[in-house]
Amino acid sequence: MIADITDKAIKDVYQTSIIQQTAYWSEVKTQQGEHTQAYNFKIKPEDLFSSSTASESYIVGDVLIILQYLDEHHCIAYVPYGPEIEPDPENQGYFLEQLSESLRTLLPPNCLMIRYDLSWQSIWAKEEDCYDIHGNWLGVPERRLQELRVNFNTEFWNLRKANTDILPSHTIFMDLAKQNEQLLESMKPKTRYNVKLAKRKGVQVKELGLDSLDVWYELYRQTALRNRFVLHDLEYFRIVLSARANDSHSPAEVKLLVAELDGEALSAMFLVITGTRGTYLYGASATEKRNFMASYALQWHAMQVAKQSGCTEYDFFGVSPTDDRAHPMYGLYRFKTGFGGKTYHRMGCWDYPLDKEKYQYYTAQEFKNQSYHLN
């Protein structure tokens, strides 16, 4: 069980490759009007890993929480891609229960629930019978069976699969430890061709600053119109690009990269470097001149920048779970898998209700308004 839990200064949040668990992300959310808190906890290794034997040692971890207020009286405690420590599957529910009960008295008394947006690999992505004969992932079982599995070994059976996943629960990871020639060779032929075609056509990638944020936003506006999603305002991205946490243990380096042809912006992205990971956080592209394959040049350049910054992996940050043409993120799946990385399925959002009656009301309302988020 959790041996000790204490609050900590945000600047002391441990270094991590998970953007959403950094002091940098806390600064972003604070500037966007959210409230953040951080906590240290101690737990024995044998409570996490079946291979560990009983000892007097402890594992020390931390967790960054965003308090999202629903009104002036009620909030939820949202844990984006945390906690980072990933127990063995049979101990995951127990760990989350122990952590939640330890946090209960430290959170505001009007907190309805703790929502863990888990970056842990899905239990059902590790089992052979969850794939078809062609190696295609079959996905997760129905919610009831998921909850039975995760609540195994818990005392209160209180963990609930959320109605929606906030952050992307499926992504593609590229191994940047490989040489460039190996990375190119691992790409699908069409993707490799498009990367080289963009270069031959004269597409160039540059890093722009805050004074060029309108260039990004115009491409973002075109992308939103084309794909029919709701736009964030310009200030949202100004904060992401300008926020700093350099006096902390977990800063981030944020770059706005733009692919141009003869000075005309055709594609742009936010590359965020945290620890040993480069993440493609947001992307946009022009509706016209798509035949110049600027988005391919942009991704290849971003990988080179990440490698030069000491990163060993590149996170494409969001695809559909399978090769399903009907899925709204299928286009991203087709584009990103072309680069030859490895698909990674996360556990997604799991709730620990603190006020069960109000939690039921909240989730009933939430179910009516499901959507994708940028958080």
Side-chain angles (χ1 to χ4, degrees):
M1 63 175 60
I2 304 294
D4 184 39
I5 188 164
T6 56
D7 61 350
K8 68 187 299 185
I10 296 296
K11 68 181 182 63
D12 294 327
V13 168
Y14 297 138
Q15 183 179 23
T16 174
S17 294
I18 301 173
I19 300 168
Q20 295 79 9
Q21 283 293 302
T22 62
Y24 159 76
W25 197 247
S26 171
E27 180 62 25
V28 168
K29 290 302 168 185
T30 298
Q31 290 189 35
Q32 291 174 350
E34 305 272 16
H35 303 274
T36 64
Q37 298 177 351
Y39 299 92
N40 261 15
F41 60 85
K42 291 168 58 178
I43 189 168
K44 285 186 173 295
E46 59 265 30
D47 289 333
L48 298 172
F49 311 112
S50 56
S51 60
S52 296
T53 56
S55 69
E56 295 303 314
S57 65
Y58 288 92
I59 292 176
V60 179
D62 65 359
V63 62
L64 177 70
I65 294 175
I66 301 172
L67 293 179
Q68 299 178 331
Y69 279 84
L70 309 174
D71 54 39
E72 60 179 321
H73 300 296
H74 302 93
C75 69
I76 66 173
Y78 174 58
V79 187
Y81 280 169
E84 183 175 11
I85 292 175
E86 182 174 345
D88 289 340
E90 60 270 23
N91 295 326
Q92 290 180 2
Y94 174 79
F95 170 54
L96 291 176
E97 179 183 74
Q98 293 296 312
L99 182 59
S100 300
E101 289 297 329
S102 297
L103 287 167
R104 183 189 285 272
T105 58
L106 300 175
L107 295 171
N110 56 5
C111 188
L112 274 60
M113 66 170 175
I114 304 172
R115 170 162 289 175
Y116 298 98
D117 203 334
L118 298 172
S119 64
W120 306 344
Q121 186 178 18
S122 171
I123 295 171
W124 297 277
K126 302 176 182 180
E127 301 178 344
E128 290 185 3
D129 58 359
C130 290
Y131 295 83
D132 65 19
I133 59 174
H134 302 292
N136 300 310
W137 192 52
L138 299 176
V140 297
E142 61 175 289
R143 179 183 296 188
R144 180 182 63 86
L145 295 178
Q146 291 183 63
E147 292 178 352
L148 281 172
R149 179 75 176 270
V150 172
N151 279 288
F152 177 75
N153 272 348
T154 64
E155 181 179 353
F156 304 117
W157 287 72
N158 195 35
L159 288 158
R160 301 287 178 265
K161 183 68 184 77
N163 289 323
T164 185
D165 294 328
I166 309 301
L167 291 166
S169 51
H170 312 278
T171 189
I172 305 291
F173 279 113
M174 296 289 294
D175 180 4
L176 296 185
K178 295 180 178 179
Q179 298 297 317
N180 286 341
E181 294 76 14
Q182 293 175 297
L183 288 173
L184 285 166
E185 185 61 30
S186 65
M187 295 179 187
K188 292 181 180 178
K190 185 175 180 180
T191 298
R192 184 168 56 249
Y193 175 81
N194 287 340
V195 168
K196 296 179 179 180
L197 178 65
K199 182 178 180 180
R200 290 201 304 272
K201 286 181 174 288
V203 174
Q204 296 183 326
V205 180
K206 299 179 180 178
E207 180 179 351
L208 301 182
L210 272 173
D211 56 343
S212 300
L213 198 58
D214 58 326
V215 174
W216 151 264
Y217 202 74
E218 172 55 25
L219 293 174
Y220 171 65
R221 186 195 65 79
Q222 292 182 40
T223 304
L225 183 65
R226 196 167 62 243
N227 294 285
R228 300 179 181 178
F229 62 76
V230 178
L231 282 85
H232 280 273
D233 59 28
L234 183 65
E235 184 61 18
Y236 179 95
F237 296 104
R238 186 182 305 279
I239 291 171
V240 172
L241 188 58
S242 64
R244 294 290 182 269
N246 294 333
D247 60 343
S248 73
H249 295 312
S250 53
E253 186 178 359
V254 187
K255 298 178 181 291
L256 174 58
L257 303 178
V258 179
E260 299 178 344
L261 180 67
D262 298 328
E264 180 181 359
L266 299 182
S267 185
M269 65 173 285
F270 282 75
L271 171 67
V272 183
I273 295 170
T274 48
T276 57
R277 179 183 297 172
T279 300
Y280 167 36
L281 194 59
Y282 306 121
S285 60
T287 301
E288 303 296 329
K289 299 185 178 180
R290 300 176 70 81
N291 59 310
F292 287 93
M293 304 302 167
S295 294
Y296 291 88
L298 185 65
Q299 292 299 326
W300 180 241
H301 183 86
M303 291 178 203
Q304 303 311 304
V305 172
K307 280 170 68 72
Q308 292 164 12
S309 299
C311 295
T312 57
E313 62 181 359
Y314 183 82
D315 183 358
F316 268 106
F317 199 64
V319 294
S320 58
T322 60
D323 187 7
D324 178 5
R325 293 177 180 272
H327 195 282
M329 296 181 73
Y330 169 73
L332 293 175
Y333 178 93
R334 185 176 58 182
F335 171 68
K336 295 176 180 181
T337 55
F339 287 88
K342 185 176 181 180
T343 305
Y344 185 88
H345 305 287
R346 297 185 171 103
M347 285 288 287
C349 284
W350 285 82
D351 296 342
Y352 193 89
L354 301 176
D355 183 324
K356 291 187 178 181
E357 183 176 344
K358 291 179 179 178
Y359 170 77
Q360 289 178 348
Y361 175 79
Y362 172 80
T363 53
Q365 296 301 311
E366 182 184 49
F367 185 75
K368 299 176 183 178
N369 299 287
Q370 293 187 46
S371 62
Y372 289 99
H373 303 261
L374 278 174
N375 294 51

